[in-house]
Amino acid sequence: MKIYKFGGASIKDSDGVRNLISILKIKKTEKTLIVVSAMGKTTNKFEQVVDNYFNNKNNLDNSLKLVYDYHNQILENLFENANNKINNEIKLIFRNIKEFLKKNKSPNYSFVYDQVVSNGELISSKIICEFLNNNGVATNWIDAREIIKTDSKYRGANVNWEETKRKISENVDLNQLNITQGFVASDNNNFTTTLGREGSDYSAAIIAFCLNARSLTIWKDVPGVLNCDPKVFKNSVLLENISYSEAIELAFYGASVIHPKTLQPLQKKEIPLLVKPFSDPNSNGTKITRGIKINPKVPCFIVKNNLSLIKLSSLDFSFIVEENISEIFQELHENKIKVDLTQNSAISIYLCIEDKYFRLDKLLSKLKAKFKVKYVDNVDLYTIRHFDKNSSKKILQDHNLILEQRTNEVLKLVVKKI
């Protein structure tokens, strides 16, 4: 089997869906499984629906209508018959969402999130499957909730690998083209779960692992894996070949082109990962596999914005020792705050953090009881892998340097825009 994953940008409109068919006709469809994301910015729009459900019910119906109208426009552009089967299926999905929101009793935001936001992938896969079948490409639709089983950690579920492998072997027809959803799974009670934001790549890797796939190709709106985000940096360079370990390093530091969890199952079975542009299916893109050196070897830039930098110092000028550090990280863990950089001296420790769940005020309140606390908000963290002597110059032209950390391979700069 070969696995193809199409991201939201590649299927954001009717032209994107038509382009998907052209790629399949070039690459052939035998023994192929397609994993699709939600179309365009649908996930963001469904997130607004969930936010309105909890915080602004007056706008709930309107935000849901925006999602429906977006998909209805794509349907009108793809299908001649406005009353065909797929229109009714999509209408049913939206009726079910409304019914769920009307009857739901759970106050758990993450639970509601998964039951609602997951519909983006279900809608896109149904539309694409119907369009493929209508255009002579026989396609088998698979509900990802039937094949990827997880625990009940909503918005970031952990995979039950044994059960998932069994379900995939039972439900995937190896002799035809299959289509399923990324991001989406289910727990033992058959409630919908999701694998975390941008988890569709991970879904594709899970399926590739369980099927012992020949390769996984991720189709993107970029030429492949670049040495920097072209929206942030000029003169980006295509990385033609990189190793699993190199890609994992880049993903760990925050490179957005590959989900951090995606590479782990692929590496275990040495399944090559290809990252290619959907606008040019015959290009080589980037190949990620075992034991190859990064080519070309150029500095790789990764930036994370809107972080916070905390400096903790001992109140009595005593050393910051293991016991203090353990206590600090326990507080960070309990408040679900991600640490992107740490640096410590004898009597202080710096933490560059990401406050995804808005728990920073609570954390600072706890820490102030035991440490002297200094805090800088809205800082940016630039990570430069394979840096050279000129790597930081452009960054520091319009940023003030707050903290620098370097090893032989990696330079990290905590900066604030001038």
Side-chain angles (χ1 to χ4, degrees), residues 21 24 79 85 89 125-141 176-177 179:
I21 283 193
L24 292 177
F79 301 98
K85 170 175 163 276
E89 286 188 27
S125 64
K126 281 184 174 290
I127 291 173
I128 292 168
C129 183
E130 184 71 10
F131 190 70
L132 288 169
N133 283 324
N134 281 6
N135 284 271
V137 183
T139 308
N140 176 43
W141 186 84
Q176 64 174 315
L177 176 65
I179 186 168

Side-chain angles (χ1 to χ4, degrees), residues 110-118 153-155 192-194:
S110 293
F111 170 77
V112 174
Y113 179 101
D114 280 6
Q115 310 319 301
V116 173
V117 177
S118 57
K153 185 184 176 186
Y154 300 107
R155 293 183 70 188
T192 303
T193 59
T194 63

